[in-house]
Amino acid sequence: MEITTVGLNYLNNGYGLKSWLLTKDHKRIAILYLLSITGFFFLGGFFALLIRLELLTPAADMVQPDTYNKLFTMHGIVMVFFFLIPSIPATLGNFLLPIMVGAKDLAFPRINLLSWYIYVLGGAFTVVAAATGGVDTGWTFYAPYSTSASNSHVITAGLGIFITGFSSILTGLNFIVTTHRMRAPGLTWFRLPLFVWSMYATSLIMILGTPVIAITVLLVAVERGLHLGIFDPALGGDPILFQHLFWFYSHPAVYIMILPAMGVISEIVQAFTRKNIFGYAFVAFSSLAIAIVGFLVWGHHLFVAGQSTYAGLIFSILSFFVAIPSAVKVFNWTATIYKGAVSWDSPMLYAFGFIGLFTIGGLTGLFLATMGLDIHVHDTYFIIAHFHYVMVGGAIMGYLGGLHYWWPKITGRMYPEGWAKFAALTVFIGFNLTFFPQFIVGYLGMPRRYAMYAPEFQVYNVLSTAGATVLGAGYVIPMIYFIWSLKNAPLAGNDPWGARGLEWEIPSPPPTENFVVSPIVTEGTHQYAPSREVGIGH
Amino acid sequence: MFTNFPFFPQQASEQAAQVDAVYFFLVAVSAFFAALIAIFLAVFAAKFHRTHHDQVGDAIHGSIALELLWTIIPLGITMIMFVWGAQLFFHLTRAPKGAMEIYVVGKQWMWKAQHMDGAREINELHVPVGRPVKLIMGSEDVIHSFFIPDFRVKADVIPGRYNTMWFTASKPGRYHIFCTQYCGTKHSAMIGWVTAMGAADYETWLGGGARTGTMADAGAQLFQSLTCNTCHLETGQGRGPVLKGAYGKPVELEGGGTVVMDDAYLRESILMPTAKVVRGFQPIMPPFQGLVTEEQLLQLIAYVKSLGAQGPTPPGQPATQTPAGQPSAPPATPTPKQPGSGN
Ligand SMILES: [Cu+2]
Ligand SMILES: [Cu+2]
C-alpha cells in the first residue's frame, strides 16, 4: 500500500498548455471539465443573484421584466445543461470511474477528450446567446412561445443545448463500455463501488434520453426558422406535443442530476462510518429502477395542460412508484450509519445535509404527483422550492461532498477542515433560508417566472433573498480554500480518510497510468470490519 | 394575527377545503418522515461518533425484512395519496351539469371574459357565489394558464383548443387571477381579479352596464355577415347541414364514425371544415382559420349552441331582447326535438 515515490503523477507529467488540451488522460479531462463547469456554475449563480435581488420588492424596479425573463432563462439553461448535468459524471465520474474499476483509462480516451470539446463548443453558443441579448423562453422552451412569439436568441441557445447533448451521450457511452469491458480481474458486478452503479444508471439515461431533447430543440429551431408547422397550432402544429417531447427527456434528466450525487453519498457514508453499505443490492438496483421508471413519468408535468385524465392517472401512479427506490436509498444510508464509526469530517457533513434535504425534496415531489393537489401548486414557487431541494440541496450538496472527499486524491493535498466545516454549515443554512419560504409562498399562490408579484408575497421573498446571499457565500468559501490548498495545504498521502477502495490504494495524485500493476480484486467495496459478525452488545 | 405572514391562501371556493385536506395529509406524512430521518441521523451521528482514529464500524450487510418494510409501508402510503389525489382531480376537472358557462380568452397579456348574456370584461371576472361556474378557455397566441389561488383551481389556456375549469365560489370577495404559464414580457402583469358576489348583487351587476346583446346575438350577426347562412339554411335545403338542434347530438361522418357536436367539434368544423366532413355533404365549406378571432369564434359557437337548446340551460338570465330584427336566440326551453342536421 505504501508507495513512497513522490515521483511522476498525472499532474506533473507535462506542463504545457498543449499537454492539457491534447490530453487523453481521463484525469486531466476531468480537470478540464472541473474548470469549465465551475465557470458555468458561477455564471448561473450570478444570474440567480440578480433574480433574487430583483425579487426583493414586488415591483420590477431593478431590471425590466424583459431582462428578468432573460435572467431566469439563462439561469436555468446554464445551471441545468452546463452545470448540473455534466457536474458529477464529467468531473468525479471521469476521474474515478476508471480507477474504481481498476482500469488505466476509459474505454475511448479520444472520445472522452472530444466530449469536452463538444461541451465547450455548446457552451460557447450559450455564452454568445447570452452576450448578444439573451433568451427569454424559460429553460423549458415551451412552444408556441419559443417558436413564434419570442424575439430573442432562441436558435443560438437551442443549438448550444443540441451540441452539448452529444458530450453527454459520448460520456455515457464511454462509461457503459468501460464498466462492462474493463473491470479488473475479480471485480464482479456486485463488488463494484456504488458510485459506479450510479454512473452506469446515469449513463443509460444519457444515452437513451439525450437524443430526444436534441431532436426537440432542433424542431423548435426548424419551426422558428422555416415556419414549418410542428408545435404552433396557427401553423397546424400541436403545442402539447412539444411538452411531451421536452419532458420525455427532461424528467429523466433530473435523475441524470441526482443519481450521481446519490452514488457519491453512498461512497461518503461508507467511508466516513468505516462500514459497508446496508443493503448493497437494494441500493444498487434502486439506481437502475429509478433510471428505468424515470422514463415513464414525464406526463406529471402536464396534469393541467388538458392531457387525457386517464393518461394522467398512469403518470401519477408511476410517479409514486419512482419515489420508492429513492426512499429505499435514504433508509439504507440511514441504516448504514447505525453502529458505524461515524466521523464528522466535512464530506460527512455534506452527506448528512444531502440526506436531509433530499428527503424533503423527495417528499414534496409526492405533492406534485398527487393529481388533485398538483392543480393548485403547479407552476408556482412550490415547484421551484421542490426541485431546488432536489437539485441544489441534493445534487450540489452531493457534488460538493464528493469534491471534498476526493480532493486529496485529485490534488494530493488536504484542505483546511475547519473552513470546510464552516462552509458546509453555511451552505446548509443559506440553502434552507432561501428555499423553504418558497414552499409557503408557492402554496399561497405566487406563480413562478414573475418579475412583479403581489405585495403579500414580499416577506417570503425577502427571506429567500437573504438566504441566497448566505448560500452564495457558502459557495465562494470552498472556492477560495481549494485554490489556496493547491500550494499550501499538507500532503494527503494515499488514503487520508482510512477509507477502502481502489482509488485509495494508489498514490495521490495518481500516476498517469493509475495502476503500476493491474489490481486483483478479492472482495466487495468498503469492507472494514474483519468478519461479518454482528455485534449485539452496546 | 398572521395577516402579514400568511401560511395558506383563503378558502374562497367549495373546492378549496377539499384541496387543503389532501395538502394537510401530505404535510403530515412528510413532516413525520422528515422528522424520523432527521432524528435517526442525529442520534446515530452522536451515539456512534468515532472515538479513536482507526475505529471501524460493524459489518452489517442488510436485512431483507427491513428492506421489505421500508418498501411496502411507503408504497402503501403513496397509494393512499394516489387514490385520494385522483378522486380529487376527477372532481376538480369535471364540471357538474348545469354549471353556468363563461368564455375566457387569454392573449398577450390580458384576460378577456364574455358572459353568455353579452357582458364582457377584461382582467376581471364577476361570478355569483354558490353556483357552479364553468370557464371555457382558449388562447389567441401562446399558452397561458388561468389560476385562482383562493379557489385552488388552475388550467392551461392553449391556442388551438378549449380547456375548461370550474369552481363554485363560496365567499363574496375579490380574489387574484394569475397567469401561471410563462407567456413573455408581461407574463407577471397578466393578472386580474375575480369578484364573487351574492346572487342578488350578481343580478344587479349583470343588469348594469352597456350590452350589445347576448353572445348568441353577436354570433347570429356574424352568422350573417360571414355568409354562413347562405349554406346553412334552417329549411334543410341549403348546401350545408342544418345546425338547428344539432348541438350535443351525434353527427355521422363521411367515411364512418360519429362525433358528438361539442365546443371542440364546432371549433374545428368552423376553422378546418375538412378535418371531419358530415356524411352526405360535399367538403365545400371554406375554412375560417385566420378569418375569425377567438372571440368571434366563441360567439358563433354560442349561437349554434343556442340553436340547439340541448344540454345545459344557458346561464344567468338568457336575456332575449332582440336587437334590430336579428334572429334572436330562442329561449332556452322547449325546442321541439327535431331530427336535426341533415344526414
Ligand atoms: Cu418530472
Ligand atoms: Cu403568462
Side-chain angles (χ1 to χ4, degrees), chain A residues 14-281:
Chain A
Y15 289 100
L17 197 60
K18 220 176 116 189
S19 76
W20 280 90
L21 293 182
L22 295 180
T23 183
K24 281 172 279 166
D25 183 345
H26 65 101
K27 300 182 287 303
R28 285 195 163 204
I29 297 172
I31 301 290
L32 292 177
Y33 263 117
L34 180 68
L35 295 176
S36 26
I37 69 161
T38 305
F40 278 108
F41 174 68
F42 282 101
L43 181 65
F46 173 69
F47 294 136
L49 198 68
L50 294 181
I51 292 173
R52 283 310 334 159
L53 285 178
E54 168 54 49
L55 292 178
L56 260 179
T57 58
D61 33 24
M62 192 186 83
V63 295
Q64 292 302 308
D66 265 331
T67 314
Y68 179 84
N69 296 342
K70 289 174 179 168
L71 284 175
F72 71 69
T73 302
M74 297 310 300
H75 167 70
I77 292 178
V78 166
M79 285 303 202
V80 169
F81 294 105
F82 295 93
F83 174 70
L84 283 167
I85 288 178
S87 61
I88 295 176
T91 58
L92 299 175
N94 243 335
F95 196 98
L96 293 162
L97 188 110
I99 301 179
M100 283 182 168
V101 302
K104 288 188 163 42
D105 207 316
L106 284 172
F108 309 112
R110 280 167 215 273
I111 289 186
N112 196 20
L113 181 63
L114 179 66
S115 90
W116 180 71
Y117 278 103
I118 293 177
Y119 168 82
V120 170
L121 183 67
F125 270 83
T126 305
V127 170
V128 167
T132 55
V135 203
D136 74 342
T137 58
W139 77 279
T140 47
F141 288 92
Y142 268 26
Y145 183 74
S146 61
T147 60
S148 304
S150 167
N151 42 33
S152 60
H153 295 73
V154 179
I155 295 186
T156 321
L159 280 179
I161 292 168
F162 177 81
I163 294 169
T164 313
F166 288 93
S167 83
S168 279
I169 295 173
L170 294 181
T171 301
L173 187 80
N174 232 332
F175 284 5
I176 287 180
V177 176
T178 307
T179 312
H180 273 276
R181 307 291 305 162
M182 300 178 67
R183 279 172 288 127
L187 187 49
T188 59
W189 282 88
F190 287 102
R191 286 175 178 170
L192 281 175
L194 287 163
F195 181 70
V196 177
W197 275 98
S198 79
M199 280 298 131
Y200 186 83
T202 307
S203 303
L204 285 179
I205 308 176
M206 286 174 159
I207 289 191
L208 297 176
T210 316
V212 179
I213 190 74
I215 286 292
T216 311
V217 293
L218 208 61
L219 289 177
V220 166
V222 164
E223 178 164 295
R224 207 178 149 81
L226 309 176
H227 302 287
L228 283 181
I230 300 160
F231 303 128
D232 185 353
L235 302 171
D238 181 354
I240 302 302
L241 173 66
F242 174 85
Q243 298 182 15
H244 282 292
L245 288 173
F246 180 82
W247 289 113
F248 182 82
Y249 167 77
S250 295
H251 185 83
V254 309
Y255 297 116
I256 295 184
M257 306 179 224
I258 195 67
L259 274 171
M262 292 169 156
V264 168
I265 296 306
S266 295
E267 294 298 320
I268 293 179
V269 165
Q270 295 178 89
F272 289 83
T273 58
R274 300 247 179 86
K275 191 162 168 290
N276 60 285
I277 193 95
F278 189 93
Y280 176 95

Side-chain angles (χ1 to χ4, degrees), chain A residues 65-66 69 72-73 136-138 142-145 149 232-234 236 238-240 243 271-280 282 303-306 309-310 313-314 316-317 320-321 323-324 327-328 330-332 334-335 337-345 352 355-356 359-360 363-364 366-367 370-380 382 439-440 442-454 456-457 459-460 463 497 500 527-535 538, chain B residues 3-10 16 19-34 36-37 40-42 44-64 66-68 70-72 74-76 78-79 81-90 92-94 108-109 141-143 145 147-161 163 176-191 193 272 289:
Chain A
D66 265 331
N69 296 342
F72 71 69
T73 302
D136 74 342
T137 58
Y142 268 26
Y145 183 74
D232 185 353
D238 181 354
I240 302 302
Q243 298 182 15
F272 289 83
T273 58
R274 300 247 179 86
K275 191 162 168 290
N276 60 285
I277 193 95
F278 189 93
Y280 176 95
F282 291 90
F303 288 150
V304 302
T309 306
Y310 298 98
L313 285 176
I314 308 268
S316 170
I317 199 167
F320 284 113
F321 287 163
I324 303 299
V328 166
V330 169
F331 290 125
N332 278 297
T334 310
I337 301 170
Y338 175 72
K339 290 199 172 168
V342 184
S343 140
W344 294 352
D345 285 338
F352 283 133
I355 300 175
T359 300
I360 296 178
L363 286 166
T364 49
L366 300 175
F367 291 61
T370 306
M371 296 171 81
L373 194 51
D374 182 64
I375 292 182
H376 178 64
V377 290
H378 183 75
D379 275 341
T380 67
F382 193 94
F439 283 123
I440 299 170
Y443 200 74
L444 281 177
M446 178 166 167
R448 67 192 291 192
R449 299 175 170 174
Y450 261 33
M452 300 173 276
Y453 57 86
E456 63 262 37
F457 301 143
V459 201
Y460 298 105
L463 287 177
W497 309 117
R500 295 268 191 289
Q527 304 297 329
Y528 295 89
S531 74
R532 65 182 310 285
E533 276 165 54
V534 180
H538 99 97
Chain B
T3 40
N4 290 322
F5 234 109
F7 282 105
F8 307 101
Q10 300 184 57
V19 175
D20 287 351
V22 181
Y23 181 66
F24 292 140
F25 173 67
L26 267 89
V27 168
V29 169
S30 304
F32 173 78
F33 278 100
L36 189 78
I37 296 292
F40 271 124
L41 288 181
F44 290 172
K47 185 156 183 241
F48 304 112
H49 189 199
R50 201 179 282 179
T51 45
H52 56 94
H53 256 306
D54 30 53
Q55 187 185 343
V56 298
D58 286 1
I60 304 173
H61 287 269
S63 148
I64 300 284
L66 275 178
E67 300 288 350
L68 286 178
W70 60 49
T71 304
I72 289 169
L75 192 64
T78 55
M79 286 307 99
M81 296 174 183
F82 166 69
V83 172
W84 196 355
Q87 278 175 345
L88 181 64
F89 187 86
F90 272 97
L92 292 179
T93 51
R94 304 272 145 110
Q108 287 174 320
W109 292 276
D141 36 51
V142 300
I143 303 180
S145 192
F147 178 34
I148 310 170
D150 293 326
F151 291 179
R152 313 286 189 281
V153 289
K154 173 189 294 134
D156 282 2
V157 178
I158 300 172
R161 69 181 70 191
N163 267 1
H176 282 295
I177 299 169
F178 292 133
C179 176
T180 44
Q181 186 58 266
Y182 174 69
C183 58
T185 308
K186 292 192 194 156
H187 166 57
S188 61
M190 193 165 159
I191 58 177
W193 295 94
M272 290 171 286
Q289 175 94 299

Side-chain angles (χ1 to χ4, degrees), chain A residues 247 250-252 254-255 294 297-301 319 386:
Chain A
W247 289 113
S250 295
H251 185 83
V254 309
Y255 297 116
V297 303
W298 77 89
H300 61 212
H301 296 267
S319 303
H386 157 70

